[in-house]
Each structure stands twice: as C-alpha cells, then as structure tokens.
Amino acid sequence: MVVRQYKEELEYLEKKTPYKWEIKKGFQPNMKVEGVFYVNEVLEKLMLDELQNACRPGMIGGFLPGVKQIANVAALPGIVHKSIGLPDVHSGYGFAIGNMAAFDMDDPESIVSPGGVGFDINCGVRLLRTNLFEKDVQPVKEQLAQSMFDHIPVGVGSKGIIPMNANDLEEALEMGMDWSLREGYAWAEDKEHCEENGRMLNADSSKVSMRARKRGLPQLGTLGAGNHYAEIQIVDEVYDKWAAKKMGIENVGQVCVMIHSGSRGFGHQVATDALLEMEKAMKRDQIEVNDRQLACARINSNEGQNYLKSMSAAANFAWVNRSSMTFLARQAFAKQFKLTPDDLDMHVIYDVSHNIAKMEQHYVDGKLKKLLVHRKGSTRAFPPYHPLIPVDYQLTGQPVLIGGTMGTCSYVLTGTEQGMNETFGSTCHGAGRALSRAKSRRNIDYNDVLEKLQQQGIAIRVASPKLVMEEAPESYKNVTDVVNTCHKAGISKKTVKLRPIAVIKG
Amino acid sequence: MGDIKEEDWNLPPCKYEYLDHTADIQLHAWGDTLSEAFEQCANAMFHYMTEVDYIEMKESYDVEVEGHDMMSLLYNFLDELLFIFSAEPNYIARKVQITEFDKTAFKIKAKGFGEEFQLGKHPQGTEVKAITFSNMQIHENENKYIMKTAWKIKN
C-alpha cells in the first residue's frame, strides 16, 4: 500500500458531480482504469473519514478503506470501463462491499475473483406481494410474526425442515428453482420474476467439494444469521404509480413480505475452497495484485472455470433456499388467514442477486463486448426493453429490491438507461455498515434497541440477542441516503418505499 | 467421540478479545505458549457462536490438521473446527486442547470438549461464515505469543 498523507491522497480524488467522485489513476499502483464512487454529502463524509483514519500514522497493515479497495480492483488484469463503488460501499474482503467491476471475456489475461462475488454467493432479496392491507394485518401482527418465526428456521445452528438427502441436493444444485418447482415448493410464475429464471445453466455440482455439500445439506431452507431477515412490510409511499401497478402494488398500505438470504454455509465453503485454489494459480500464472485478498484466476484457466461452475451451483442453492422460505412464508400466511397463498395473491414481485458474477453484454467505447460482471453488494438494475428482464417489466425496467436494516425502510427501484451506460446496469444493495460489529456490541444497549422498535410498532423475533445490537439501525448507513443518491445520480429510479411491521432475524 | 475425564473439567482463562472491523470480526488472542494461543483462538470462535456457559462438556472430539506454514496451520485449524460445527456432527466445544503440536511439520492434534449443538439448549450467537487470512498475524515476544485472525460474518 502506498503510504501518503491524507491531503496528498485527496489530490487523487475529484468530485465530478454532486453525487459522483472519481478516483484517478495513481491512487493505488498499476490502476488500469479509473475508479468512481457515488455518494451524497452525508455518505461522502463517512467515506472520506474512513480514508483519513487509515492515513493516521501507525495504521499500516490494518484494514483497507473502501476507496483504496475500489482502486485496487481497478488494477486487476482485464478490467474495463471503471471500478465502481455504489453509495453503500464499505470495506470488505478484497473488493469493497458495494463494488461493481467488469472484465473483458475476450482478453486472455482477464480474471475472475471470488472476493468480487463475496463469501455469501447469490445473497439476494426477494419480495412477495399480498392482497392484504395494513388493517388486516395489524391486529394479528404478533401472531403472524411468531408464525413466520416458527415456520422459517433462523440463526446459528438451525437446520432446514424441508426433507433433503444427498441426491436431492445434487439435483437442486444443477436445477436451481426448477427443482423447487418440480418438488412443489415454488410456483411456475415465481421463476419468471427471478434473475436468470432462478437457474444458472453452467452450474456443475461435480466441481463442488465434499465439504461444501456437507455444510450445505442441513442448511437448505434456512434463513441464516447476520444481516439476513424476513420482514412483513407495508407499502409506505409510491413514487411511480404506473411502475408499482405493473408489480401488483395498487396502493399505500398494501402488505408485502421481504426475504433476504443467500447460499448459507454452502456458498461460504465454495468461496473458501476457490480462494485457496486460486492462490496457487496466481503464483503459476504470475498474476500480480495489490492486495493478497484479491486472489483471482484467469477466466479461461481451470481454476477460473471451476470457480464459475461451482459459484453457479451455489447461486442455484441460494435460489432454492429463498424458494423454500417463500414456501414457508406462504404457509404461515395461509394458516393465519385461513386462505390459500393463491387467494392471498402471494406472488413473487422480483428476486435479485447482490453477490454474483455474470456473463453479460455491454457497450464499451461504443463496441458491444462480452463481459464478466462482478457485483458484490451491488444489484443488477437493467433498463426498460432489456432482453434479459421479464415481459411484465419490459416497460418499467427491472425491479431492484433494496433491503433496509432492522427497523428501517426498504425500497423498490427500477433500472434506468443512464445506469446501463454508467454502471453497466448496477446499483446499491442496502444500507451498508457504518459501525463495526464489536463496537456495536459495546456501545448499543439491547433494551434500547428493542424499545425503539416497539415504539415504531415493529414486532420482532430474533434468535440471538447479541445480534440485536450488531444489527441495530445505528450500526448502518442510512438506507434513505443510499437510495436517494442512486436516484439523484440517475443510476436507478425510486418506485416504492416499504416500512417493516414485523422482523424475523437470526 | 470420546469420554471426558475428571482432569478435563478445568477451564482455561480467557485470553482473547474481539476487535473492530466494519463487516466482520477480528480476533486477538494470546498465550504463554504457541499452543495456548492456538487454543484460545479456537475457544474464542466457539464462544462467539453461543454463550459459553451453556456448553456442557459431555464428550470429546478429536481433530487433526496440517499446514504448510504457521499461518496456514492456524487457518486450517480454525476452518476444521468451523466445519465440525457447521456440518455433521454439529459439534460445539467449551474448550479445545492441543494434545500434539509439531512445529516443524506444522501438524496439530487437538481435542474438543463439548457436545452437539442443540437449538433450545444453546443460545444462538453470531454465525461465522468463514475464516480468512485477512490481516492474520502471529507474533512471538518475550515468550508470549500473540495472534490475530479475521472471520467473515457478512458477505
């Protein structure tokens, strides 16, 4: 890492518009393209404070600030366009969380990096609608929250309740949501409203280690812990009535269910396995990177291909996982209201992936190119008329689901043409942490958090008390700041705001 | 899994702390011997996943790991323990004791004292997704051993 004074560092950063900063080449060694990050005034301060902290003497060898990580990614072989930080960007493993980077697939030097996808492969958000309104749910809110908590296994050490054996897992890894559909856990329409139709075709379960399968098998159909949650939400504001209507959201007060989860231990193990394998490949192919955490392999190497195939299997795992929980949430609602999920119109509005690498076509300097787009803590946001988005959303643009944190709002955005050009159709994914977990545990009081939630009228069921502090809204950046920045910068458009009335967490 | 003898009931002192890191948890552990510092790292991980006082020492569990240097040995040691927790037998240890430590061949034989993780009995703590080499450090100072490792919690 280059060691410079904070003032010298600032010379490499330039505010291009009120919502966009550029990181010039030279900020970190070997930058092949420029970096960019989107922030408003509030988020800008967080971002620069983090950099200033890292510049203090004696901080050498500590964790890299997000800006530095964006710049390090800009130095990876084969990167095109720019290394982009979204408004919720914060320091992560190798790549910052909230980072998009695309690599030219026709360049033999181009790489794929597990750090650019994240440990929780295909972590994502799914939104279900209902035809219920707030007045139907408020009186039974506590019972409904309890019922969801009883139905969906959450937290450390919980096990899935959908019967699975090793053979089922094998098929689920290859088939993704087609498996859920065949087994009766998903509806045919669910698939249409899911990125990639809930199935990565290049998944190859034979590339997945035994360790990953063993960790994955008991955890399929579990929510997990950390920032994952299932929430009952109320439509709070509609910014674009027409687009909302296309999503089946008729009016303020309508009840929705949001599920935020990923590929559980399975994905973590796939990432761990790949990182170890790639360290060796880097030595062999003499790939130089600025940070050891940016372990990567050439896309066309054995290691690169193996990772893409096993990552796809993990992506399928995550879709099956979210589908299984959708099934359980539908059951919980059906039992409470004594109506079938069909009668309750519990359709999937959309399902996004915010930790994934995908092969996509984009224009680079006016030429159509095949790229491997890494989105880590970043959501795909394709504009209207894009061939890869469902028929129902052809006119509105792809719905983008932004999950808030415990007790805060969530948003539905839509993709824009400007986003397609500037960020290859990528936008933010959530709030993004501001405080460390250890600090949250020390400084935030358990009872304060619960009391505050209660005052807001939010029912909460959480498996781990410690998590309440770690996940308190104060530990995160303000999701409204994040979403407004994306909206004002034009990389996606606000459509609907949702507020939680019940939270189920690990 | 094996039996537990009376002398195994002694609990080690707590020689670890959790440090700040935005998305994850960084651990700082120390000990008078390298072996003790390794054990502390292992204890710290299990204690992060549940409340230590609820873990009963019912049966022991043996693990064996190897590495190609000290860092990879520490990584593999913690990774193996995370694995026995996450998959069958879902084992959680109140304490981990290293029985053999080969510092030249980088091999460890260790014994965990604990039981199978059970919902309802063990409060759910925070889930550790993976062990990383991120900012890993092992230092020896005047016969004190200090080490740092980071664990993935998010993303």
Side-chain angles (χ1 to χ4, degrees):
Chain A
M1 184 173 153
V2 195
V3 183
R4 277 188 296 251
Q5 296 285 322
Y6 176 59
K7 238 165 92 187
E8 292 169 333
E9 296 279 28
L10 283 184
E11 283 167 25
Y12 289 91
L13 305 178
E14 190 187 340
K15 194 168 183 169
K16 286 277 185 186
T17 74
Y19 301 100
K20 187 165 135 185
W21 285 64
E22 192 177 78
I23 307 168
K24 291 185 194 148
K25 288 183 191 170
F27 186 62
Q28 287 290 82
N30 299 320
M31 281 174 71
K32 296 181 176 62
V33 296
E34 266 107 29
V36 159
F37 58 95
Y38 292 87
V39 283
N40 67 6
E41 264 174 25
V42 184
L43 301 170
E44 169 186 308
K45 194 175 168 304
L46 285 171
M47 194 82 178
L48 297 177
D49 280 355
E50 194 186 33
L51 177 64
Q52 191 167 16
N53 262 333
C55 290
R56 280 200 324 241
M59 287 302 285
I60 301 152
F63 289 98
L64 288 177
V67 235
K68 286 277 172 194
Q69 290 191 317
I70 296 172
N72 280 339
V73 167
L76 290 173
I79 187 165
V80 293
H81 192 49
K82 276 162 187 158
S83 168
I84 292 170
L86 286 316
D88 47 348
V89 73
H90 60 103
S91 180
Y93 186 85
F95 285 57
I97 297 167
N99 197 178
M100 189 290 297
F103 299 85
D104 184 355
M105 295 199 58
D106 295 324
D107 179 349
E109 303 273 300
S110 284
I111 54 94
V112 53
S113 172
V117 170
F119 276 78
D120 198 349
I121 296 166
N122 194 6
C123 182
V125 179
R126 172 177 286 205
L127 188 66
L128 313 177
R129 66 174 187 236
T130 71
N131 54 13
L132 299 166
F133 276 81
E134 190 172 6
K135 62 173 178 2
D136 306 315
V137 173
Q138 273 299 352
V140 291
K141 183 175 69 183
E142 293 291 336
Q143 291 93 312
L144 201 54
Q146 188 60 43
S147 172
M148 293 259 287
F149 191 67
D150 293 341
H151 276 76
I152 301 175
V154 300
V156 177
S158 60
K159 291 181 184 170
I161 50 170
I162 284 173
M164 288 283 274
N165 59 34
N167 242 343
D168 295 326
L169 180 67
E170 212 66 20
E171 290 181 347
L173 295 178
E174 300 270 351
M175 293 170 69
M177 274 175 72
D178 283 328
W179 183 86
S180 304
L181 184 62
R182 190 190 73 190
E183 300 293 312
Y185 297 116
W187 299 349
E189 301 90 319
D190 294 354
K191 268 184 57 187
E192 284 167 33
H193 285 184
C194 186
E195 275 185 38
E196 310 290 324
N197 289 322
R199 178 179 188 169
M200 295 279 255
L201 292 169
N202 62 337
D204 182 350
S205 65
S206 70
K207 305 293 182 206
V208 173
S209 71
M210 199 35 106
R211 262 173 115 80
R213 287 160 209 247
K214 280 189 178 163
R215 282 185 69 176
L217 185 57
Q219 293 187 340
L220 194 63
T222 61
L223 184 70
N227 55 334
H228 294 156
Y229 60 79
E231 279 185 352
I232 302 172
Q233 302 178 334
I234 304 286
V235 174
D236 197 44
E237 245 178 286
V238 177
Y239 307 99
D240 183 342
K241 216 165 159 89
W242 173 74
K245 217 174 163 91
K246 290 269 174 206
M247 300 174 194
I249 293 173
E250 296 291 335
N251 228 326
V252 171
Q254 194 170 337
V255 175
C256 293
V257 179
M258 186 175 270
I259 296 169
H260 176 198
S261 185
S263 49
R264 313 286 294 107
F266 184 86
H268 314 159
Q269 192 66 44
V270 166
T272 304
D273 293 341
L275 283 170
L276 294 178
E277 207 176 300
M278 285 187 184
E279 290 233 329
K280 290 178 207 140
M282 283 172 77
K283 273 191 204 134
R284 183 197 59 207
D285 296 340
Q286 293 165 346
I287 304 174
E288 303 252 334
V289 294
N290 288 345
D291 176 5
R292 195 181 164 192
Q293 293 184 6
L294 291 168
C296 57
R298 295 207 173 117
I299 297 173
N300 295 322
S301 67
N302 248 335
E303 292 80 6
Q305 285 300 314
N306 286 351
Y307 174 66
L308 283 172
K309 287 170 185 164
S310 53
M311 181 206 73
S312 297
N316 287 344
F317 183 100
W319 280 314
V320 172
N321 196 32
R322 287 200 285 277
S323 296
S324 303
M325 283 184 287
T326 303
F327 171 78
L328 298 169
R330 282 173 177 158
Q331 294 307 307
F333 267 73
K335 280 182 195 165
Q336 182 65 46
F337 293 100
K338 311 225 162 31
L339 284 167
T340 66
D342 212 17
D343 291 334
L344 289 166
D345 193 37
M346 293 185 75
H347 282 282
V348 172
I349 291 179
Y350 206 64
D351 178 307
V352 297
S353 314
H354 55 224
N355 273 13
I356 204 157
K358 283 192 197 177
M359 282 160 244
E360 291 171 5
Q361 292 188 318
H362 290 278
Y363 284 98
V364 183
D365 305 323
K367 264 193 244 145
L368 194 62
K369 290 224 168 204
K370 214 164 103 193
L371 306 177
L372 184 66
V373 183
H374 291 63
R375 291 194 185 90
K376 179 187 193 180
S378 163
T379 316
R380 193 186 78 176
F382 278 172
Y385 309 115
H386 194 283
L388 287 180
I389 62 179
V391 184
D392 296 342
Y393 302 127
Q394 275 291 316
L395 300 178
T396 60
Q398 178 211 314
V400 179
L401 311 173
I402 308 301
T405 52
M406 198 169 64
T408 68
C409 303
S410 296
Y411 288 87
V412 183
L413 317 176
T414 46
T416 64
E417 200 56 54
Q418 192 186 345
M420 198 62 182
N421 298 331
E422 274 188 37
T423 60
F424 290 157
S426 312
T427 191
C428 62
H429 86 300
R433 286 199 79 85
L435 277 189
S436 77
R437 287 183 181 271
K439 206 176 249 162
S440 301
R441 279 190 180 197
R442 283 197 306 270
N443 299 352
I444 299 173
D445 184 73
Y446 175 69
N447 290 319
D448 286 352
V449 181
L450 287 191
E451 205 171 297
K452 219 167 156 190
L453 290 172
Q454 206 163 19
Q455 277 169 7
Q456 290 173 285
I458 301 170
I460 175 149
R461 295 291 182 281
V462 56
S464 158
K466 281 180 195 158
L467 203 68
V468 172
M469 283 100 81
E470 289 185 14
E471 292 289 322
E474 294 91 324
S475 312
Y476 282 85
K477 294 176 182 172
N478 186 341
V479 66
T480 305
D481 273 331
V482 169
V483 165
N484 284 343
T485 307
C486 290
H487 181 80
K488 297 245 172 71
I491 53 173
S492 45
K493 193 163 157 259
K494 286 204 284 187
T495 307
V496 172
K497 179 183 177 190
L498 302 143
R499 76 184 144 82
I501 55 164
V503 185
I504 287 93
K505 267 184 97 74
Chain B
M1 292 195 202
D3 293 330
I4 289 185
K5 296 183 211 74
E6 210 178 313
E7 66 259 30
D8 298 328
W9 287 104
N10 298 322
L11 289 175
C14 172
K15 295 186 178 178
Y16 61 80
E17 61 180 347
Y18 304 110
L19 302 177
D20 288 348
H21 181 233
T22 335
D24 303 316
I25 282 292
Q26 197 188 15
L27 169 81
H28 170 212
W30 57 96
D32 296 334
T33 61
L34 192 59
S35 183
E36 188 188 11
F38 265 64
E39 289 169 0
Q40 287 290 338
C41 285
N43 292 343
M45 186 173 74
F46 283 119
H47 301 169
Y48 202 70
M49 299 192 285
T50 186
E51 304 276 332
V52 52
D53 295 337
Y54 291 86
I55 311 171
E56 237 181 292
M57 295 200 281
K58 275 191 187 163
E59 47 200 350
S60 64
Y61 193 89
D62 294 314
V63 290
E64 271 187 63
V65 286
E66 302 181 23
H68 56 82
D69 57 17
M70 214 35 107
M71 293 224 187
S72 69
L73 182 61
L74 178 59
Y75 177 94
N76 291 343
F77 178 54
L78 294 176
D79 189 56
E80 182 63 24
L81 294 172
L82 178 62
F83 179 70
I84 61 167
F85 172 78
S86 315
E88 288 285 321
N90 301 112
Y91 187 80
I92 188 144
R94 178 146 192 173
K95 69 165 182 178
V96 176
Q97 217 167 51
I98 291 176
T99 46
E100 275 175 49
F101 199 145
D102 187 334
K103 287 169 195 144
T104 45
F106 304 110
K107 279 185 191 171
I108 284 181
K109 281 187 188 171
K111 219 183 225 337
F113 298 91
E115 59 182 326
E116 190 186 333
F117 184 86
Q118 282 174 333
L119 289 179
K121 175 171 185 180
H122 300 114
Q124 291 168 287
T126 302
E127 190 170 56
V128 175
K129 290 182 175 177
I131 315 298
T132 74
F133 279 107
S134 166
N135 202 25
M136 187 187 275
Q137 298 168 25
I138 300 177
H139 301 289
E140 188 193 340
N141 272 332
E142 296 164 6
N143 286 328
K144 293 258 189 248
Y145 292 84
I146 300 170
M147 43 193 63
K148 283 184 182 172
T149 62
W151 309 329
K152 290 308 293 177
I153 305 289
K154 184 182 176 262
N155 282 306

